[in-house]
Amino acid sequence: MQSTSIECRVGCGACCIVVSIKGPIPGMPDGKPAGIPCIHLTEDYLCSLFNSPDRPQVCSSLQPMKDMCGETNEEAFQILSVMEVLTDPYRK
């Protein structure tokens, strides 16, 4: 099943909160744990590094897709939470 690319929803930020980042990012040398907001997430849920060369490749490569973001911000949090658990290499 192929997912369709979509625009980020205003005020969501799910991928900047739910998803873990295993490698270092500016200001977070040990990466970002799942469920913790990235320090670059602004009060209006935008990325302060979005157009910066310092934006991590992992973030740049993550594109909003209907299968990942669902229909609502709440659905995005649910879907990404499940994906985070299922892709955890230490999951038992």
Side-chain angles (χ1 to χ4, degrees), residues 1-88:
M1 180 165 143
Q2 188 173 5
S3 186
T4 306
S5 181
I6 60 173
E7 292 291 320
C8 282
R9 272 190 300 277
V10 175
C12 182
C15 59
C16 301
I17 299 170
V18 175
V19 177
S20 63
I21 298 175
K22 302 299 184 203
I25 63 174
M28 299 181 92
D30 297 323
K32 187 193 87 59
I36 302 297
C38 177
I39 64 169
H40 302 290
L41 186 63
T42 65
E43 287 183 20
D44 54 352
Y45 296 93
L46 299 174
C47 175
S48 65
L49 294 179
F50 192 80
N51 291 315
S52 168
D54 293 332
R55 187 174 182 214
Q57 176 62 33
V58 67
C59 299
S60 298
S61 66
L62 186 63
Q63 298 297 311
M65 304 293 258
K66 188 142 176 117
D67 290 351
M68 178 177 79
C69 301
E71 298 290 336
T72 65
N73 295 354
E74 293 78 18
E75 202 172 303
F77 275 82
Q78 291 171 349
I79 292 168
L80 287 171
S81 294
V82 169
M83 290 173 76
E84 180 67 30
V85 169
L86 293 176
T87 60
D88 180 352

